[in-house]
Structures are given as C-alpha cells and as structure tokens.
Amino acid sequence: MNSSLGSEIDSFYESAPPLKERDSIMEKLNEFVELNCKGTKRVVCVTSGGTTVPLEQRCVRYIDNFSSGHRGAASTEYFLKAGYAIIFLYRRGTSQPYCRSLPDDPLLECFEATDELNIQVRQPYSEAVKRAIRDHHAAVAGGFLLKLPFTTIFEYLQMLQMVAVSLRSLGPLAMFYLAAAVSDFYVPWKSMAEHKIQSGSGPLDMRLVQVPKMLSVLRTEWAPMAFCISFKLETDTKILLDKADMALRKYKMNAVVANELLTRKEVVVVVTDSEKISVQRDKTEAGSDVENPLVKLLVDRHSAFINDFNA
Ligand code: PMT
C-alpha cells in the first residue's frame, strides 16, 4: 500500500465519529468466532446494501444510493445452504435473508386478525412465512448467521475492519463477498455542519472528499490470507469488464463480480486472472435467481483456493 493511501485511510478512521455500539458488536463477533472458527468450518462476510453519507452531524439530510440489498440477502441464503457460517453486514432497512418472497410490509400484509385476541398467517403467504421463520431461526439459533446493521459510510468501514480483523485467524477459510454499494465520496466529520443546513443562504457549495478504497488494506493487513470477492458495478457495459479486470489486479482480489445496473438480476460476469465466466439466472425455473449459480461457482473456487493453500 502506498503511503498516501495509508494516510488517507488513517485520516478517515481518525475523523470518523466513534461507533456507538462498538463493545456489543465486538462481543457478538467474539462469540461468533468462538463458535464457528474451528476445524474446517468456512466463514463468509457478506456485505449488503448501500452506505449513506451524512451532510450534517445532527443528520437531517444524507446522500444515498440505489442498492436494495437483494444480492447480499439472496447470496446469504445460498452460502448458508452450502454450509458456511455468515456475518451479514447489511444496511438497515434493506432486504433480509429468507424474506425475499414476503411482501414489503410483512406484518401488516401477511397476518390477519381472526378475532379480538388471535392473529393468523393469511393463506397466500402461509407457506412462505413458515419457511422464512423456520430457516431464519435455524440459522440464528445454530449461531451460523450473525447480522450486523450499518447506515453510514463511517459505520460500515469501522465494522468491516472489526469483522476482517476478527476473521484473520481463519486464514484461507474466511471469505469476503463485498456486494455492498460503498459511497465513493464523503464529507469529513470535522468539516461537516453540526446543525441542519439552512436553505435561506442560497446555493449549497460543499466539498466531498474521496473515500479511500479499503480493499487494499483488507487484502494486505486486515485479513491477508482470506478469499476476497469484490463487485464492480457500472452503467456503461463498454467499460465494465475492463474496470473489473483493473480492480482485480490493483486490489489483488481472487475474483471480481462485474454487473451492470439494469441487468444485474439476470447476469453477472465473474472475472478472475485467467477467465471471464458469464453466470446467468436459469430462466426456465420460476423464482430462480442469479445468486444461486454465482454462489455455487464461488464456493467451488474457494474450495480450490483452500486446497492450493494446504498443498
Ligand atoms: O443491492 P442490489 O440492489 O441487489 O444490487 C447489487 C449491487 C449492484 C449493489 C452489487 O451487485 C454490486 O455491484 N455492489 C458493488 C457496488 C459498488 O460499490 O461498486 P464500486 O465499483 O463503486 O466498488 C467496487 C468495490 O470496491 C466494491 O466491492 C466495494 O465494496 C469496494 N469499495 C468501494 C468504494 C470504497 N470507497 N471502498 C471500497 O472498498
């Protein structure tokens, strides 16, 4: 890592507001690691949803992005099915594992009152609700699914660092699947207005600073032996694969998943140092999604990575 990136990273962390629940997050992480980081159990940290960039310290306004968290939530289900333990680092309010087939407002739409005292699941949702509850509880009760919510870019990057350092001892058994849409620009805490920015003072002139790419430090310092998958999103297909290839080499990722905004639910391309593999949703199967074959492919590649490491 070059020294200018190092100082950008230091200044990001030094100026970030301290994480409110740091101690309890650390406690949950320690418990999770103790339970899962034994023998040959594999662990994946799935990041999901978009980070916000607050514009005021007592935040009224913020910059956000489009990410729904669908990719992360769906992938988490498939990783659990493949036997992984998961740290699901997700944006509050975005898609959750096992809830994808439920309506947006499940409590109000899935349940109905049968009389003054009793509530039941409404018929059209009955099977989906029971399955969601059963699978979710099994994963959480077994200790295989730890959910950690974030909202801002400050929270996300502090939590990612804590997770990565906690998983370092797993070496190649740990995977990072970085599907979160991470803000590229932010307002440093110290130069941010404390109170609500007043609209009467005319056009708003605000300087946003570049968020340092943490992929390098994740790779070189936090968890150097882990299997790392980052994502590349573009809206212009002409530049997508070149940018993914550049990210692969620059940040020494094991693979970069390239996707285009409008087709991201249908097809992605997994870029490695020797291949570009197109992964498609199976259109002949109702309710299928692209995350199913994507996770299968990455699990296979992770197995090969672990075998090479142990050879
Ligand atoms: O959530 P959905 O609606 O289902 O959509 C899924 C998705 C399109 C968000 C997902 O598939 C995806 O592509 N996520 C990454 C989007 C993104 O932030 O791309 P990027 O090109 O800006 O960043 C590339 C990588 O660098 C990402 O893995 C990101 O975690 C990482 N990054 C980005 C910025 C930054 N300052 N530091 C980083 O480490």
Side-chain angles (χ1 to χ4, degrees):
M1 199 194 341
N2 65 42
S3 64
S4 100
L5 178 62
S7 64
E8 275 173 42
I9 291 174
D10 289 348
S11 98
F12 179 89
Y13 281 109
E14 277 158 20
S15 72
L19 206 50
K20 284 202 190 88
E21 292 170 2
R22 177 175 279 275
D23 291 346
S24 95
I25 296 170
M26 204 63 240
E27 210 171 296
K28 288 180 192 160
L29 273 173
N30 287 340
E31 262 174 39
F32 178 88
V33 167
E34 195 144 313
L35 194 68
N36 290 294
C37 300
K38 291 188 200 122
T40 55
K41 182 87 183 167
R42 300 186 199 176
V43 176
V44 57
C45 169
V46 173
T47 71
S48 184
T51 57
T52 67
V53 171
L55 299 185
E56 299 120 341
Q57 290 182 352
R58 302 190 191 196
C59 185
V60 175
R61 303 184 187 92
Y62 54 86
I63 302 172
D64 204 350
N65 68 57
F66 70 96
S67 173
S68 64
H70 178 277
R71 174 87 75 228
S75 304
T76 294
E77 292 178 26
Y78 295 114
F79 277 119
L80 280 163
K81 217 170 165 184
Y84 280 68
I86 323 273
I87 298 177
F88 181 59
L89 185 55
Y90 72 97
R91 162 75 182 278
R92 274 189 190 83
T94 56
S95 280
Q96 295 294 300
Y98 304 115
C99 296
R100 292 178 295 127
S101 51
L102 304 182
D104 283 347
D105 210 341
L107 264 184
L108 300 180
E109 288 174 44
C110 291
F111 297 94
E112 63 190 357
T114 49
D115 57 44
E116 286 277 293
L117 294 176
N118 294 302
I119 302 280
Q120 69 177 17
V121 185
R122 282 176 58 209
Q123 194 47 44
Y125 298 114
S126 176
E127 268 321 298
V129 168
K130 282 184 200 153
R131 200 174 337 107
I133 292 176
R134 224 182 284 124
D135 291 348
H136 178 262
H137 280 255
V140 173
F144 307 129
L145 176 59
L146 173 62
K147 295 204 213 178
L148 298 175
F150 64 83
T151 303
T152 68
I153 180 73
F154 301 113
E155 290 169 346
Y156 171 77
L157 287 177
Q158 291 183 76
M159 289 164 81
L160 181 64
Q161 180 181 29
M162 290 168 77
V163 172
V165 171
S166 307
L167 296 185
R168 187 191 290 155
S169 60
L170 262 89
L173 295 174
M175 186 198 293
F176 288 84
Y177 181 88
L178 302 167
V182 182
S183 319
D184 284 318
F185 302 97
Y186 76 114
V187 184
W189 191 253
K190 284 185 186 132
S191 59
M192 197 184 292
E194 182 186 350
H195 293 283
K196 183 182 170 207
I197 297 167
Q198 295 299 306
S199 59
S201 6
L204 182 59
D205 188 2
M206 187 173 264
R207 188 177 152 77
L208 300 181
V209 173
Q210 196 141 20
V211 176
K213 282 265 186 200
M214 299 300 180
L215 297 178
S216 343
V217 69
L218 170 71
R219 191 23 117 211
T220 54
E221 289 174 24
W222 298 344
M225 287 182 290
F227 188 67
C228 284
I229 311 297
S230 74
F231 281 69
K232 185 83 226 156
L233 174 79
E234 292 294 341
T235 53
D236 180 352
T237 42
K238 290 198 280 304
I239 60 169
L240 177 62
L241 293 184
D242 283 347
K243 299 272 294 209
D245 211 45
M246 267 157 54
L248 181 84
R249 286 165 214 290
K250 184 165 179 189
Y251 303 114
K252 300 186 173 57
M253 294 288 110
N254 297 95
V256 175
V257 180
N259 54 173
E260 192 266 320
L261 186 65
L262 294 179
T263 59
R264 71 188 192 277
K265 293 195 174 170
E266 299 297 319
V267 60
V268 298
V269 178
V270 176
V271 177
T272 69
D273 55 7
S274 55
E275 293 166 297
K276 291 188 173 55
I277 307 160
S278 174
V279 180
Q280 315 241 0
R281 181 175 80 81
D282 180 357
K283 292 194 185 102
T284 61
E285 198 188 309
S288 72
D289 41 41
V290 69
E291 287 78 11
N292 188 3
L294 172 62
V295 168
K296 273 196 187 122
L297 174 73
L298 295 174
V299 167
D300 284 351
R301 295 303 162 108
H302 190 198
S303 304
F305 175 77
I306 295 167
N307 289 340
D308 280 356
F309 197 89
N310 294 332

